[in-house]
Amino acid sequence: MVYLIHKNEPMILVLEREAPPLWEDETGAIRVGNSRVLLEIVIRAFQDGASPESIVHRYSTLSLSDVYNTIGYYLRHQNAVEMYLNQREQLAESVQQRLSSIQPDLSLIRSRLLSQEQS
């Protein structure tokens, strides 16, 4: 507990440790606050120069305090968060490769549809 003096009267300011506003969903992705917004979206936006206020403006389900706390957590744990972000990027790439391997070449389908439309 910290005591502050204000106008000759002691004020009590209770300092608490706050857990980061992060939670893991059923797929293992980390979300921010009471939203479905991914940690990587908030951190990449911050890295691209977005202010916490502009991030909240883009993703209205986020609270300003959760965005500030998330950025603070990132700044205190950069190595661990960067490792997580890199893992997520690798996962996204592998999913994209799998989808590309099982999906037909859409350009051929598009060409056929356009030629049928023109006939």
Side-chain angles (χ1 to χ4, degrees):
M1 205 172 305
V2 174
Y3 292 93
L4 302 173
I5 304 297
H6 179 70
K7 294 184 183 179
N8 297 326
E9 295 178 22
M11 292 178 51
I12 299 173
L13 176 63
V14 178
L15 298 179
E16 300 175 27
R17 286 197 170 265
E18 289 188 22
L22 305 172
W23 58 281
E24 188 175 354
D25 71 11
E26 61 281 352
T27 68
I30 296 178
R31 309 284 177 165
V32 177
N34 293 325
S35 75
R36 302 277 306 157
V37 178
L38 295 166
L39 172 63
E40 53 262 38
I41 290 173
V42 172
I43 298 305
R44 294 300 185 217
F46 171 71
Q47 291 172 331
D48 289 342
S51 70
E53 290 81 4
S54 66
I55 295 170
V56 169
H57 184 72
R58 283 186 221 167
Y59 305 99
S60 61
T61 57
L62 293 171
S63 74
L64 188 57
S65 66
D66 284 346
V67 172
Y68 269 105
N69 283 332
T70 298
I71 292 168
Y73 180 82
Y74 164 69
L75 293 174
R76 285 187 305 278
H77 302 93
Q78 272 185 288
N79 290 339
V81 174
E82 286 296 338
M83 284 176 48
Y84 168 78
L85 296 177
N86 290 336
Q87 289 172 347
R88 295 287 295 171
E89 287 173 7
Q90 290 172 358
L91 176 62
E93 287 173 15
S94 70
V95 168
Q96 180 63 40
Q97 288 174 355
R98 261 189 306 192
L99 289 175
S100 295
S101 70
I102 60 174
Q103 284 183 335
D105 184 357
L106 298 179
S107 63
L108 295 174
I109 295 171
R110 184 173 189 271
S111 297
R112 261 190 277 140
L113 289 173
L114 287 174
S115 68
Q116 288 176 357
E117 187 178 275
Q118 291 172 356
S119 310

